[in-house]
């Protein structure tokens, strides 16, 4: 979830960010568990959602359909590999259905997927690559990090593109500065002059 702020959530007159709201929901769910040793996964979060359903404007919007207790199982394709729909699965009953759709947006969450870098470059406690201020340089010379893997604050496509551009230019500077850049030039070809034929002369105005 990367939505910045919910401005109208009940109980928070000044608004609340989605990550903070999720954290508080987890704390509340833990308090609702009957056993202190019970994991959060065993708690019934759905009761919390039911209590606040009428507070969400989406429920009153005829263009929005909410699917509760539902997860995405797979992408359905019936026409030459093109997406035809989404396979939905009820969490509580296991019942499956297909929601017709032509497109899909993925919510990737907050995992930076930097496991392969563990022990290679410095990571913070959340797994994000640590870079120098206003740069894409990591703790290892010559290794640069760009995009969401080093951005624990914004995580937007436009900021990822910006850091990608900075990283590309920084790579070029690093290679040039260390005499590692080899420039390849296309060989110059001699221009072949075409001799005019009688037909060419006749076609000229």
């Amino acid at each position: 979830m990367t939505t910045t702020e919910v401005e109208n959530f009940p109980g928070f007159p000044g608004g609340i960010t989605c990550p903070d709201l999720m954290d508080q929901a987890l704390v509340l769910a833990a308090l609702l568990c009957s056993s202190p040793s019970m994991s959060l996964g065993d708690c019934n979060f759905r009761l919390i959602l039911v209590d606040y359903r009428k507070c969400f404007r989406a429920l009153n919007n005829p263009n929005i359909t909410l699917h509760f207790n539902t997860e995405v199982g797979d992408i359905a394709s019936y026409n030459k590999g093109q997406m035809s729909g989404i396979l939905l699965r009820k969490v509580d009953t296991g019942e499956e259905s297909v929601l017709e759709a032509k497109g899909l947006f993925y919510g990737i969450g907050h995992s930076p997927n930097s496991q392969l870098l563990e022990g290679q470059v410095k990571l913070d406690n959340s797994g994000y690559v640590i870079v120098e201020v206003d740069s894409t340089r990591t703790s290892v010379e010559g290794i640069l990090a760009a995009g969401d893997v080093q951005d624990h604050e914004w995580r937007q496509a436009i900021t990822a593109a910006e850091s990608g551009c900075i990283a590309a230019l920084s790579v070029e500077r690093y290679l040039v500065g260390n005499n590692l850049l080899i420039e390849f030039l296309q060989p110059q070809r001699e221009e072949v002059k075409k001799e005019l034929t009688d037909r060419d002369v006749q076609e000229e105005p």
Side-chain angles (χ1 to χ4, degrees):
M1 181 180 293
T2 56
T3 301
T4 306
E5 187 174 4
V6 180
E7 76 281 358
N8 61 345
F9 196 85
F12 300 92
I16 184 172
T17 63
C18 283
D20 289 342
L21 181 60
M22 293 171 65
D23 290 340
Q24 295 201 29
L26 289 174
V27 172
L28 180 59
L31 294 175
L32 292 175
C33 290
S34 57
S35 171
S37 61
M38 188 179 295
S39 68
L40 292 178
D42 296 327
C43 298
N44 193 338
F45 285 57
R46 293 184 290 275
L47 292 176
I48 302 173
L49 291 176
V50 171
D51 290 341
Y52 291 100
R53 276 186 179 185
K54 294 182 180 179
C55 299
F56 291 101
R57 290 176 295 182
L59 283 173
N60 299 319
N61 190 325
N63 296 322
I64 299 176
T65 302
L66 298 180
H67 297 268
F68 293 97
N69 307 329
T70 305
E71 63 182 3
V72 175
D74 202 350
I75 303 300
S77 176
Y78 305 120
N79 183 21
K80 297 181 180 179
Q82 296 180 356
M83 177 179 174
S84 303
I86 303 172
L87 178 65
L88 302 180
R89 184 182 299 112
K90 289 288 186 180
V91 176
D92 47 357
T93 65
E95 179 185 356
E96 294 184 346
S97 62
V98 175
L99 174 67
E100 293 185 3
K102 297 294 185 181
L104 174 66
F105 289 92
Y106 284 96
I108 62 174
H110 294 302
S111 175
N113 292 330
S114 58
Q115 295 87 346
L116 64 96
L117 299 174
E118 292 180 0
Q120 309 295 323
V121 297
K122 287 185 178 180
L123 308 176
D124 65 14
N125 293 333
S126 299
Y128 289 92
V129 178
I130 299 176
V131 295
E132 297 180 14
V133 178
D134 296 329
S135 79
T136 56
R137 292 189 295 271
T138 67
S139 58
V140 178
E141 183 181 1
I143 297 182
L144 308 175
D148 290 0
V149 74
Q150 53 84 45
D151 179 12
H152 58 80
E153 183 173 0
W154 306 113
R155 297 186 298 272
Q156 299 295 316
I158 191 168
T159 54
E162 175 196 22
S163 65
C165 178
I166 294 173
L169 295 174
S170 298
V171 166
E172 182 181 18
R173 291 183 181 180
Y174 176 82
L175 294 175
V176 171
N178 290 274
N179 295 321
L180 297 173
L181 185 65
I182 301 176
E183 188 174 10
F184 292 92
L185 299 176
Q186 291 287 344
Q188 293 184 352
R189 298 180 179 179
E190 293 185 5
E191 183 179 354
V192 178
K193 293 183 179 181
K194 179 183 177 183
E195 296 184 2
L196 295 177
T197 63
D198 294 338
R199 181 178 180 180
D200 294 328
V201 174
Q202 292 176 1
E203 290 179 352
E204 289 184 357

